[in-house]
Amino acid sequence: MLSQTTLQLLVASLALTPLAAARDVPAIVRNFYNTVKGQGQCPNKLASGFYAKDNGPGNFAYCQDPKTNVLYLQGTGGALADMDIDCDGRQGGPADDGRCDKSDDTQSITSFADTVQGYNKGIKDLDAKIHPYVVFGNAGEKSGFKTFDPRAHGVKPLSIMAVVCGDKLIYGVWGDENGVDGSKSMVGEASISLATACYGKSINGDNGHDQTDVLYIAFPGSEAVPGANGAAWSASNYDAFEKSIQAKGDQLIQRLGGSGSPTTTAGQPKPTCSWAGHCLDKCSNENDCDQDWVCKNGKCSA
């Protein structure tokens, strides 16, 4: 039997143990998610012809919401983006648990390594195992290759982004771009630390999230950039870094308040559901789903 002193030390140790920084999705973000998904496809495309999957349709686009000015990714039929895994940047750091070893396209540098190094915080680049970053934008000079530069629409490197994955809201930064890794211009990718916060440690360098239900939100403007002193760039774990940008992320999502009410493309209200992300959760019977939703193939659906 443990002594009282040992128990007290154990409780204290657990209290200091970092917890994965993820939070329930606030109503303001839920409404925006439902609005985007309910419209079927984005009405204001900045660039189109991108792919979420190698064997999928090339109908994904970078979109800008005219009411809030934020940028996001969307396909057609209500599809958003998936989440492939990026392990680029610093290698072998303190949070490296070997799961990135399964990746066959890891690069030793991210797009904005020079900016990170210029912050003079003791690191030369982002670490995918520590920094929750989003791969956003497409760069490359291959013939016929679709490109898109978010900077042309006011999004700044290393600015804060919001990611809605399932029933969680994660804050990250715009930390890398999609390059010419294959024959198609791909979208929907995030660092392994961000993906792990979303979907757990079953994620690895070669195993991401295939469903196109992830919403990536980029905020234009300098106020979205934490800068050298607005984030814990030298953090040794994901929790410490994500926590350091939470307050600014909470401020930025207030922009989403003008997104309106969720409707289908036909203008009819969506089926009753607490929010679309919740309705994608796993189920074993109808009681696990919200009203007017059914349990089909292990998932709640309309």
Side-chain angles (χ1 to χ4, degrees):
M1 180 178 293
L2 296 175
S3 68
Q4 184 174 0
T5 300
T6 302
L7 286 171
Q8 290 173 338
L9 290 173
L10 179 59
V11 170
S13 175
L14 289 173
L16 294 173
T17 301
L19 299 176
R23 58 199 58 81
D24 293 338
V25 184
I28 195 170
V29 181
R30 295 182 185 184
N31 290 340
F32 184 76
Y33 181 105
N34 286 346
T35 297
V36 169
K37 192 170 180 63
Q39 69 193 5
Q41 60 182 339
C42 64
N44 186 26
K45 296 179 181 179
L46 302 177
S48 58
F50 298 91
Y51 293 79
K53 305 176 188 299
D54 282 321
N55 60 350
N59 57 15
F60 287 80
Y62 286 91
C63 315
Q64 187 164 35
D65 178 52
K67 294 182 180 179
T68 65
N69 208 34
V70 302
L71 276 64
Y72 60 94
L73 288 164
Q74 186 167 26
T76 60
L80 299 176
D82 61 348
M83 187 177 287
D84 296 327
I85 307 305
D86 194 87
C87 290
D88 293 353
R90 178 188 182 186
Q91 304 297 310
D96 191 344
D97 59 6
R99 285 183 292 136
C100 273
D101 294 346
K102 295 183 179 295
S103 173
D104 59 3
D105 64 351
T106 297
Q107 308 294 318
S108 61
I109 190 171
T110 64
S111 294
F112 309 122
D114 289 346
T115 304
V116 174
Q117 190 169 356
Y119 284 163
N120 294 318
K121 297 300 179 181
I123 61 172
K124 295 182 177 181
D125 201 354
L126 299 177
D127 186 327
K129 283 78 69 177
I130 294 173
H131 301 102
Y133 64 74
V134 178
V135 183
F136 202 68
N138 291 70
E141 298 180 356
K142 186 175 180 178
S143 177
F145 197 80
K146 296 285 186 178
T147 61
F148 177 74
D149 188 350
R151 287 169 288 197
H153 300 275
V155 180
K156 309 292 185 182
L158 301 179
S159 60
I160 291 176
M161 294 185 64
V163 180
V164 183
C165 46
D167 58 354
K168 298 176 183 177
L169 171 66
I170 309 291
Y171 294 128
V173 296
W174 177 30
D176 208 357
E177 298 166 289
N178 296 282
V180 184
D181 297 328
S183 60
K184 300 175 180 177
S185 299
M186 308 298 292
V187 294
E189 188 173 3
S191 69
I192 192 168
S193 62
L194 195 158
T196 299
C198 287
Y199 302 111
K201 287 194 173 182
S202 62
I203 294 293
N204 61 53
D206 189 44
N207 178 43
H209 176 76
D210 290 335
Q211 287 73 33
T212 51
D213 56 9
V214 182
L215 181 61
Y216 301 94
I217 305 171
F219 301 94
S222 298
E223 61 271 26
V225 182
N229 299 316
W233 298 105
S234 59
S236 60
N237 60 70
Y238 161 86
D239 301 272
F241 181 82
E242 208 269 0
K243 184 177 180 180
S244 74
I245 60 174
Q246 180 179 341
K248 183 172 283 289
D250 286 344
Q251 292 175 355
L252 291 169
I253 62 172
Q254 299 309 311
R255 297 188 190 180
L256 304 178
S259 60
S261 302
T263 59
T264 65
T265 53
Q268 299 300 317
K270 291 178 69 63
T272 302
C273 177
S274 60
W275 75 290
H278 171 73
C279 293
L280 294 168
D281 284 350
K282 295 180 180 179
C283 60
S284 57
N285 56 61
E286 307 301 325
N287 293 330
D288 294 333
C289 304
D290 283 356
Q291 182 181 356
D292 296 335
W293 290 70
V294 298
C295 185
K296 184 177 181 180
N297 297 326
K299 287 185 176 291
C300 296
S301 59

